[in-house]
Structure formats: structure tokens, C-alpha cells
Amino acid sequence: MAFSSRTWLLSSAVLFSIMSLSCGRVPPNSGPVKAVNLGGWLVTEGWIKPSLFDGIPNKDFLDGTELQFKSVTTGKYLAAELGGGSIIVANRTSASGWERFRLWRINETTFNFRVFNKDFVGLDVKGNGAQVVAVSKTPGSSETFEIIRKPNDSSRVRIKAPNGFFLQAKTEDLVTADYAGSGSGWGNNDPSVFVISFSGKLEGEFQVTNGYGPKKAPQVMREHWNTFIVEDDFHFIKTNGLNAVRIPVGWWIASDPTPPDPYVGGSLLALDKAFLWAQRYGLKVIIDLHAAPGSQNGFEHSASRDGSQEWGQTDENIQQTVDVIDFLSARYARSPSLYAVELINEPFSPGVSLQNVTKFYKAGYAAVRKHSSTAYVVFSNRLGPMESRELFPLANGLKGSVIDVHYYSLFVSAFDNLTVQQNIDFIHTNRSQELNYVTTSNGPLTFVGEWVAEWKVTGATKEDYQRFANAQLEVWARATFGWAYWTLKNVNKHWSLEWMIKNGYIKLT
Ligand SMILES: *[C@@H]1O[C@H](CO)[C@@H](O)[C@H](O)[C@H]1NC(C)=O
Ligand SMILES: *[C@@H]1O[C@H](CO)[C@@H](O)[C@H](O)[C@H]1NC(C)=O
Ligand SMILES: *[C@@H]1O[C@H](CO)[C@@H](O)[C@H](O)[C@H]1NC(C)=O
Ligand SMILES: *[C@@H]1O[C@H](CO)[C@@H](O)[C@H](O)[C@H]1NC(C)=O
Ligand SMILES: *[C@@H]1O[C@H](CO)[C@@H](O)[C@H](O)[C@H]1NC(C)=O
Ligand SMILES: *[C@@H]1O[C@H](CO)[C@@H](O)[C@H](O)[C@H]1NC(C)=O
């Protein structure tokens, strides 16, 4: 097969010297990486370690939490008329986009509400000051509200406006901040009472740090960084058949020790330690910029504040991200463990255009090369609608470039009802074809930078999991740069490579 022979050739000294002669210096390739991600460490993901959020007061009202409000008097939902840019009404019988309000948390009781078109709810300062509208692009004091929850029944709330009065649904199409009633009995006749429901939440770095606030967050995060991944983990990785780690980091690491609010300093020291341990145990490090300023995909794992994706929309924002890559490359270029720099993880299409991400990739590549002629530079394919070779024209002229593809048998309905065998066949046929398509003899190297032996099958046996993991390992072995399991540690056991190895589900040695 073309693939196995190319893998062999790439890892041999023969091709290395040929390439050195024909196109200058390329990074040494000592065989594909068998890596594990250190997910949930320097970039928080609540589902990986839920206990990290335990100490946050009022912890179900975090940044990005999406609330719906049903007026107890009209029996209908609040909505931003037209999705924003207009008044707030209380006349919707069901709740979808325009009826959702995303929180920006000021502190445990005080919030801004962001509506569908990203405007903020506030008081109509141009009118009589009591009409509630969603017209402001940035939140100020007129857009700042207190949420008061009914004691012992947290599904009922009242909302206190900055003018000191409560919001009320006066009629279905008139929502005002002029209700003075202080001794509310929380009953169904009180127009200032709303029943809330949740339609979304985020548990990322922004949520955890802003949730604890500036006094507690530094202590909580440092404790997490010092205990979640320790030197022993590198020993475990080394002695269980792996040769590399992919380490997700956030953009704020570059301004350590004083990153912008609400982020806290100290993740850079943790990364320094990881490099030290990697060197001690002979492991390679792939630095992965997992969270870029503004968020490149709106997920919590890119530290989105409220689900918005705003990365890549301006030249300033792209330049700021290049500076982060420059900083990291400069800091670690002399470490023998620095193997690759992944410029950005999973930018989302179409929100991030191919043109803009390409501009960033070119500048990011140059920033790495300024400091290292040998580190690989990894370009993550976009998520969402895209052509899986769309980065080839870019990668073509750039030595040591790698395309990262992520293969999960989850998240889309196509996997909903597959049996164990169908899942395994999917790896051997569909995924195999996909990987073959991006793995070409004269193109960039390929990296399955995230995968997991988890699926939508319920009640699978240990043997089923072993077969599923082995099928993936067999196919991913053809990725010319290598692969990385997502992730080393996770309360969800199949997502924890440590658990999978310790319990005999996956064997790499
Ligand atoms: C929350 O912020 C508001 C507005 O800045 C302030 O008035 C209030 O005292 C703060 N509450 C707490 C608990 O810090
Ligand atoms: C809330 O419930 C607790 C015990 O369940 C009770 O002691 C307390 O009085 C209640 N508070 C209110 C305001 O109803
Ligand atoms: C809700 O009220 C607004 C303002 O009066 C009106 O334009 C809109 O058509 C109403 N929507 C529904 C579903 O009744
Ligand atoms: C791409 O960047 C330009 C600025 O260089 C900006 O005007 C445009 O909106 C961006 N496109 C997207 C989809 O963000
Ligand atoms: C999966 O099965 C359920 C129950 O039979 C069905 O409702 C659903 O449409 C199926 N999903 C897909 C993607 O085929
Ligand atoms: C996998 O590939 C087969 C054969 O090409 C195709 O029939 C099937 O629809 C694919 N499955 C999915 C989920 O894309």
C-alpha cells in the first residue's frame, strides 16, 4: 500500500536527507507521534472536571448561561422583538432564539442580558426611562440588572433594574421597569415574577474565573494547575507506549502573570513545568492554541464568554493571536521537547472564513519560523462546512506543515443508531477514506489530533470498546504526523486515556 510505504519512507533517514537536499532544512521526523491531549488543564472544560465549579456562588448563573423568562401574569415568554434592536415583549407562547437571554456576569447577583442579535437589554434612556429595550451594543449601567431568586424555589425570579424598580410584564407587549412592590409573595398575580428555564450553559475558562471572581479565582486555578497534571503523569505517559503530549493553552498565557480580567496568572509556569517534565521523560510537546481571543468557535473549550465566535473578524485580533504564537515559540524554541506548534484549534466555518484563517496561518507560520527552523507547524482544519484539502494550497509552500483533523464518532445524528459493528466498519471504511484523502505523498503531513474510544452505543462491553479503540488505532497509524487521544484525564472514564489504559481497554505497549 502507498500509505504504509510512505510512512516508512518518511521515517527513514533516506527521505530525510533527500528532502534536506531538495528543499532545505526540514524538521527531523523520528516516527509519527502517539500522543495524548492534556485537555482541561490549562484551558478549563467543566465536563472534564465538574468539581472545579463547585465553590462558585450562584453557580448556575455563569457567563453564557442562556435563560428564558415566562411571565406568571401573561403566561408567555419574554422576547427581544425582532431578535434585538427594538423593545422587549412578553407575548411569546414558545421559546426559541428571540426568547433566549445570554448572561454576562458582573458578580453573583448582577448581570447583563445579551439577546439574539447580540444587543444588550437595557432601559430606554431616550424615552421615559422605564421602557425595556434591547438596543445597546455594549453594556453600561443602564444595561445592568440584579436577579433575585425566590428563596427555596430557584425557578422563580424578579429582575431589578438600575433605576431601582422591578421589571414587570404590564401587558403582553409592554415590559417596563417601574414595579415598586417590595413585599412580593412570589404569586401568580405578581407581574414582576418570572419563571426561568435554562436553554444553554458554558463551563469554560471565562466562566470559572469570572464565576469565582478576582479574589478567589487565582487560588482555585493554581490549585487546579498544580494537581490536575503532575510529573507522575509524564512518567505514566512515557511508560505506556506514548511519545508525545498535545497541550491546549489559552491566549491569555502570553500576558502571564497579569492577564486581562477575568483570567488569572500562573498557567505559563505550569506550561514551563510540562516542558521540564517532557524533557526529563523524553516526550515531545505539541503546543496547541486552543482558545484564541474572541473565541474561534463559540465553544467553552475556546473560552467563549457567551457562545459568540468573534475571532478572525479584524486584523487587530489576528495580529494579537500571531503575537501569542510568537511569544510561545520564542519561549520554547530552545527546548529539545518542542516538537510542534498548532496555531489555532478548530476555527469554525463559516464564521471564520478560509481567507482570514489563511492570512493568520501564514503570519503564524512565519512567527514560529522566526524562532525555530525545526518545529512543525500544525494547521487545524476548520469545523463545519469545509473541504478537507482546503489548506493544501497554503501548506504547499511551507516546510514542516501539518494538517490536523479531528475524528469523533459522536456529536452528529449520523451516529445515533449505529451498532458496535457499524461503528467499527465506519472507522475502517468512511474514516479511512477521509484520512486517505488528506494524506498525500507530496502534501502536508496529517495528524489526527483528537479522537476518543467513545460512541453513542449504549451498553457496550469492554471487548466492544477494545475493538473500537483498536480499529481507530489501526487506521490512525496511517496519519503521517501521528495522532493524539482526547484526553488524559476526565471524569467520564472512556474519555480518560489514563483510565482506559489502567483498566485494560487500550494497550499501546
Ligand atoms: C455586584 O455588582 C453591583 C454593581 O456593580 C454592586 O452594586 C453590588 O454590590 C455587587 N454585589 C456583590 C455581591 O458584590
Ligand atoms: C427554606 O427551606 C429550609 C429547609 O428546607 C427552611 O428551613 C427555610 O425556612 C426555608 N426558607 C424559606 C424562606 O422558606
Ligand atoms: C408581540 O408584540 C409586538 C409588539 O406589540 C408585536 O409586534 C408582535 O407581533 C407580537 N407578537 C406576537 C407573537 O404576538
Ligand atoms: C475577515 O477580515 C476582514 C478584515 O481584514 C473583515 O472585514 C471580515 O469581516 C472578516 N471576515 C470574517 C468572516 O470574519
Ligand atoms: C434513531 O432511532 C430512533 C428510534 O428508532 C429514531 O426516532 C431516530 O430518527 C433515529 N435516528 C437516526 C439518525 O436515524
Ligand atoms: C459511510 O460510507 C458508506 C459507503 O461509502 C456510505 O454508504 C455511508 O453512508 C457512510 N456513512 C456515513 C455515516 O457517512
Side-chain angles (χ1 to χ4, degrees):
M1 268 296 294
F3 290 102
S4 47
S5 62
R6 191 182 50 257
T7 307
W8 179 83
L9 265 179
L10 267 178
S11 57
S12 73
V14 179
L15 187 64
F16 176 55
S17 54
I18 291 170
M19 288 178 72
S20 302
L21 287 175
S22 61
C23 49
R25 193 162 175 204
V26 298
N29 190 331
S30 50
V33 299
K34 296 176 180 180
V36 63
N37 284 281
L38 304 185
W41 185 34
L42 305 183
V43 180
T44 295
E45 296 188 37
W47 70 288
I48 291 179
K49 184 182 169 183
S51 61
L52 193 55
F53 289 72
D54 282 352
I56 300 178
N58 207 8
K59 71 172 179 151
D60 49 359
F61 283 2
L62 297 177
D63 290 278
T65 297
E66 253 181 29
L67 294 178
Q68 299 161 344
F69 299 90
K70 192 179 194 172
S71 158
V72 296
T73 49
T74 69
K76 303 219 170 133
Y77 291 97
L78 291 186
E81 189 63 24
L82 306 176
S86 178
I87 58 171
I88 301 296
V89 291
N91 65 9
R92 295 304 204 288
T93 48
S94 66
S96 61
W98 291 1
E99 293 77 29
R100 294 179 180 181
F101 297 84
R102 285 174 287 164
L103 296 182
W104 277 25
R105 177 169 163 133
I106 310 302
N107 58 39
E108 61 183 280
T109 53
T110 307
F111 304 87
N112 308 130
F113 300 105
R114 206 175 197 192
V115 303
F116 185 81
N117 79 347
K118 297 191 176 179
D119 284 348
F120 290 89
V121 174
L123 300 186
D124 181 17
V125 286
K126 292 199 202 92
N128 65 5
Q131 174 85 44
V132 183
V133 294
V135 295
S136 180
K137 299 286 168 212
T138 51
S141 57
S142 295
E143 287 74 36
T144 301
F145 297 87
E146 194 181 330
I147 305 181
I148 295 143
R149 305 180 86 166
K150 180 182 175 189
N152 288 5
D153 173 10
S154 57
S155 71
R156 287 192 170 218
V157 301
R158 299 172 81 207
I159 302 164
K160 197 174 192 179
N163 64 7
F165 293 99
F166 288 97
L167 257 59
Q168 63 169 327
K170 252 187 185 155
T171 66
E172 291 198 3
D173 43 25
L174 190 59
V175 178
T176 51
D178 54 2
Y179 189 81
S182 55
S184 171
W186 296 97
N188 286 346
N189 56 354
D190 182 338
S192 71
V193 172
F194 298 90
V195 174
I196 55 164
S197 48
F198 293 84
S199 53
K201 69 168 184 177
L202 294 175
E203 286 185 338
E205 189 85 7
F206 199 102
Q207 287 71 32
V208 75
T209 51
N210 201 35
Y212 279 106
K215 286 207 188 73
K216 283 197 196 141
Q219 180 198 334
V220 171
M221 297 314 292
R222 279 170 210 156
E223 169 77 9
H224 168 62
W225 295 327
N226 286 337
T227 54
F228 189 64
I229 299 289
V230 296
E231 176 167 357
D232 259 359
D233 295 315
F234 281 67
H235 178 251
F236 175 85
I237 290 165
K238 179 64 179 182
T239 51
N240 281 283
L242 296 154
N243 59 21
V245 288
R246 178 175 181 257
I247 307 183
V249 302
W251 61 273
W252 54 89
I253 199 171
S255 42
D256 214 273
T258 51
D261 282 344
Y263 302 105
V264 302
S267 64
L268 186 62
L269 286 181
L271 185 59
D272 284 350
K273 279 199 281 184
F275 268 91
L276 208 68
W277 298 331
Q279 193 173 338
R280 202 166 284 165
Y281 293 98
L283 293 168
K284 299 166 180 162
V285 176
I286 300 157
I287 300 182
D288 154 38
L289 185 64
H290 218 69
S295 172
Q296 70 275 23
N297 53 38
F299 291 118
E300 67 186 18
H301 57 69
S302 62
S304 179
R305 178 169 196 177
D306 65 8
S308 307
Q309 172 259 306
E310 283 160 2
W311 182 85
Q313 292 175 356
T314 63
D315 290 340
E316 292 73 24
N317 167 281
I318 289 179
Q319 186 54 47
Q320 187 188 358
T321 316
V322 172
D323 292 344
V324 173
I325 295 298
D326 190 296
F327 171 85
L328 291 167
S329 305
R331 189 171 184 93
Y332 299 112
R334 281 176 308 278
S335 165
S337 297
L338 180 69
Y339 193 62
V341 179
E342 181 155 358
L343 301 179
I344 194 169
N345 179 66
E346 297 185 345
F348 207 89
S349 158
V352 174
S353 68
L354 179 59
Q355 192 186 11
N356 288 14
V357 80
T358 298
K359 192 195 308 179
F360 167 65
Y361 279 158
K362 279 187 185 151
Y365 180 92
V368 177
R369 283 288 168 265
K370 223 167 86 185
H371 305 286
S372 170
S373 56
T374 54
Y376 287 96
V377 181
V378 183
F379 305 134
S380 175
N381 259 354
R382 291 185 301 164
L383 288 185
M386 55 99 197
E387 207 286 313
S388 64
R389 285 186 184 174
E390 67 179 17
L391 299 174
F392 275 37
L394 162 79
N396 220 359
L398 304 177
K399 269 168 280 173
S401 60
V402 179
I403 302 292
D404 182 10
V405 292
H406 295 173
Y407 291 147
Y408 288 105
S409 296
L410 290 152
F411 307 127
V412 293
S413 61
F415 297 106
D416 279 358
N417 298 325
L418 299 192
T419 63
V420 168
Q421 192 55 48
Q422 284 170 330
N423 268 289
I424 291 169
D425 292 345
F426 181 87
I427 299 297
H428 282 303
T429 56
N430 307 53
R431 284 302 191 213
S432 176
Q433 274 172 24
E434 282 180 68
L435 182 58
N436 287 358
Y437 179 70
V438 285
T439 309
T440 58
S441 56
N442 52 0
L445 299 178
T446 52
F447 180 36
V448 182
E450 293 186 17
W451 66 279
V452 66
E454 185 57 298
W455 46 14
K456 289 190 171 173
V457 177
T458 50
T461 65
K462 178 172 176 178
E463 196 204 338
D464 294 334
Y465 275 100
Q466 288 170 327
R467 289 175 56 218
F468 185 48
N470 284 334
Q472 293 188 74
L473 285 166
E474 207 177 302
V475 173
W476 309 160
R478 295 189 230 131
T480 45
F481 183 78
W483 52 257
Y485 195 90
W486 187 272
T487 183
L488 182 64
K489 297 192 173 188
N490 196 315
V491 293
N492 304 283
K493 53 197 186 184
H494 303 130
W495 291 86
S496 161
L497 185 59
E498 178 183 58
W499 189 93
M500 294 295 262
I501 290 174
K502 284 183 172 167
N503 290 276
Y505 282 62
I506 289 180
K507 195 167 170 4
L508 299 167
T509 45

